[in-house]
């Protein structure tokens, strides 16, 4: 009887693995990003529960090769999608279905990716495992705020790991959070079409803006959901189903309606501009007056997250990164063009 070549089985296994990985990349969505405390690394979380760590310093080097744009490490963080991530001065925090996990950046970079801790908010029933769509750090309170599918904001003390409060008011799941840095207040936006402003000292809702009820903002064909928001002092910008709109918070007045048809999934203030992204390949740059300054195309058919690396420890890595419906993270070394893409 003829013996099979000892290489026959391994080659077949490698081939199937490569096909599987190719299909995975083809159907990949990157939901979240977070920059390391040193500013030299970027974490990206995908729909398969994986977190990839990219070296921005290596990819931006004048001696960068194609290999420099691949992850230095990839690890399985959650069973389901990694919807949100934030970084403290030592830890990477990631959220998926029902729980938050912590990883030490120092250990990740040594390729020892063991979770430091995991926490689950006190849900109404033990059978409930809602997704956590948004994480937000409140540094002055040394707390983490998380929100998602159970329609509540949960605050967690980062020193003790205990959940201290649940803020209730939304009637449908929450998509996004933003912090007013000059006051202990947080904003939340969700599927119910409302942006709610909360006082973290009293755990009370102090203001509600139902964006879809304002005729100039409403787009009933897109729905009422709020998918993104950002704040800068007394100003807020938000969008989703309704038009992307700049609001004056004290007067609850919409001041600028941005002429963008496609629903926006991420928005941020940057210097004297507003950056937004969503359906479509482009990162949009807006003047506060509503004028579209530029649309810079990327490599993904839709964008879900923007990340501005402004860590003072690594000025050479000051970049904008954009990710969404592909396995690539686009890197913009200035706002005018995409320099290159990182890839899972």
């Amino acid at each position: 009887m003829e013996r099979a070549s000892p290489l026959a089985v391994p080659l077949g296994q490698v081939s199937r693995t490569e096909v599987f990985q190719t299909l995975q990349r083809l159907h990949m969505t990157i939901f979240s990003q977070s920059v390391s405390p040193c500013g030299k690394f970027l974490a990206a979380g995908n729909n398969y529960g994986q977190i990839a760590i990219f070296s921005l310093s290596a990819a931006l080097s004048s001696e960068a090769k194609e290999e420099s744009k691949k992850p230095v490490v990839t690890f399985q963080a959650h069973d389901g999608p990694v919807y949100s991530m934030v970084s403290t001065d030592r830890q990477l925090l990631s959220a998926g279905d029902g729980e938050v996990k912590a990883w030490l950046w120092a250990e990740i970079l040594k390729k020892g990716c063991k979770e430091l801790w995991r926490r689950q908010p006190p849900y109404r029933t033990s059978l409930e495992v809602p997704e956590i769509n948004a994480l937000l750090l409140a540094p002055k309170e040394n707390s983490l705020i998380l929100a998602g599918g159970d329609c509540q904001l949960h605050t967690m003390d980062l020193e003790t790991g205990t959940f201290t409060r649940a803020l209730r008011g939304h009637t449908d799941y929450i998509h996004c959070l933003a912090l007013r840095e000059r006051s202990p207040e947080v904003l939340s936006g969700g599927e119910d079409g409302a942006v709610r402003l909360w006082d973290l000292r009293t755990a009370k809702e102090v203001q509600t803006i139902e964006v879809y009820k304002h005729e100039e903002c409403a787009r009933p064909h897109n729905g009422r959901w709020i998918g993104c928001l950002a704040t800068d002092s007394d100003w807020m910008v938000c969008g989703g189903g309704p038009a992307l709109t700049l609001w004056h918070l004290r007067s609850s007045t919409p001041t600028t309606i941005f002429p963008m048809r496609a629903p926006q999934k991420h928005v941020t203030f940057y210097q004297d501009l507003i950056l937004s992204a969503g359906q479509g390949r482009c990162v949009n740059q807006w003047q506060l007056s509503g004028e579209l300054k530029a649309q810079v195309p990327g490599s993904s058919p839709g964008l879900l997250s923007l990340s501005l690396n402004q860590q003072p420890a690594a000025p050479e890595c000051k970049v904008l990164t954009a990710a969404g419906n592909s396995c690539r993270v686009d890197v913009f070394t200035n706002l005018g063009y995409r320099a290159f893409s990182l890839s899972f």
Side-chain angles (χ1 to χ4, degrees):
M1 185 175 177
E2 188 178 340
R3 294 183 64 187
S5 163
L7 293 176
V9 174
L11 277 173
Q13 289 175 341
V14 168
S15 178
R16 283 193 295 273
T17 301
E18 286 178 346
V19 169
F20 175 72
Q21 289 174 341
T22 300
L23 287 171
Q24 237 192 6
R25 285 194 293 271
L26 191 63
H27 297 285
M28 189 175 291
T29 297
I30 298 173
F31 284 107
S32 53
Q33 304 178 65
S34 185
V35 175
S36 66
C38 68
K40 296 181 179 180
F41 296 90
L42 177 73
N46 69 18
N47 55 321
Y48 302 117
Q50 300 166 332
I51 293 177
I53 308 296
F54 298 95
S55 172
L56 290 174
S57 53
L60 290 163
S61 164
S62 58
E63 300 172 359
K65 302 184 169 108
E66 277 308 303
E67 201 60 29
S68 308
K69 297 163 190 174
K70 296 287 185 184
V72 293
V73 64
T74 302
F75 61 97
Q76 192 70 37
H78 296 266
D79 293 332
V82 184
Y83 290 117
S84 186
M85 292 191 294
V86 293
S87 288
T88 69
D89 56 359
R90 294 177 62 243
Q91 299 171 11
L92 172 66
L93 310 180
S94 62
D97 285 333
E99 63 184 3
V100 180
K101 295 184 181 182
W103 319 82
L104 277 174
W105 268 108
E107 297 302 316
I108 294 173
L109 299 176
K110 291 178 191 170
K111 304 189 179 180
C113 302
K114 294 179 181 176
E115 68 184 60
L116 184 63
W117 51 257
R118 66 171 72 189
R119 296 286 186 276
Q120 187 176 77
Y123 296 124
R124 292 186 181 98
T125 71
S126 58
L127 298 174
E128 192 176 26
V129 189
E131 75 276 11
I132 298 171
N133 293 324
L135 296 176
L136 180 69
L137 292 170
K140 290 179 182 176
E141 288 74 31
N142 194 29
S143 62
L144 174 71
I145 304 166
L146 50 141
D150 71 339
C151 315
Q152 302 178 74
L153 285 75
H154 299 274
T155 62
M156 190 189 89
D157 186 306
L158 282 171
E159 189 171 340
T160 63
T162 57
F163 286 93
T164 55
R165 287 171 172 169
L167 312 182
R168 300 181 179 93
H170 282 281
T171 58
D172 210 334
Y173 58 87
I174 300 166
H175 287 295
C176 48
L177 298 170
L179 186 70
R180 291 187 77 186
E181 293 184 1
R182 295 181 187 177
S183 57
E185 294 175 341
V186 63
L187 291 98
S188 57
E191 197 70 12
D192 58 6
V195 173
R196 302 180 190 274
L197 180 63
W198 310 83
D199 188 326
L200 292 177
R201 294 166 298 190
T202 62
K204 300 288 187 186
E205 183 179 339
V206 294
Q207 188 176 355
T208 305
I209 299 174
E210 293 178 299
V211 180
Y212 65 97
K213 289 186 177 179
H214 292 256
E215 188 176 348
E216 61 268 50
C217 308
R219 297 190 299 189
H221 58 285
N222 285 336
R224 61 173 63 176
W225 56 278
I226 299 298
C228 60
L229 60 84
T231 60
D232 185 2
S233 187
D234 287 332
W235 298 93
M236 172 191 74
V237 60
C238 67
L244 189 69
T245 307
L246 181 67
W247 293 76
H248 184 247
L249 282 173
R250 286 192 184 181
S251 60
S252 297
T253 305
T255 61
T256 305
I257 312 294
F258 298 96
M260 170 59 62
R261 290 186 177 183
Q264 299 298 279
K265 302 291 183 70
H266 196 111
V267 67
T268 188
F269 287 92
Y270 177 66
Q271 296 178 354
D272 58 347
L273 297 173
I274 288 172
L275 308 180
S276 76
Q279 289 183 8
R281 295 180 177 274
C282 293
V283 176
N284 308 298
Q285 302 174 25
W286 302 96
Q287 305 279 11
L288 298 180
S289 61
E291 179 188 347
L292 182 61
K293 182 181 179 183
Q295 285 187 302
V296 186
S299 63
S300 299
L303 295 172
L304 297 173
S305 73
L306 301 175
S307 177
L308 281 162
N309 183 4
Q310 301 186 82
Q311 291 286 3
E316 73 281 7
C317 296
K318 185 177 179 180
V319 293
L320 169 71
T321 53
N325 301 119
S326 80
C327 62
R328 294 177 293 278
V329 179
D330 293 331
V331 179
F332 301 81
T333 48
N334 67 47
L335 294 184
Y337 69 99
R338 175 177 67 92
F340 58 88
S341 296
L342 308 168
S343 181
F344 262 85

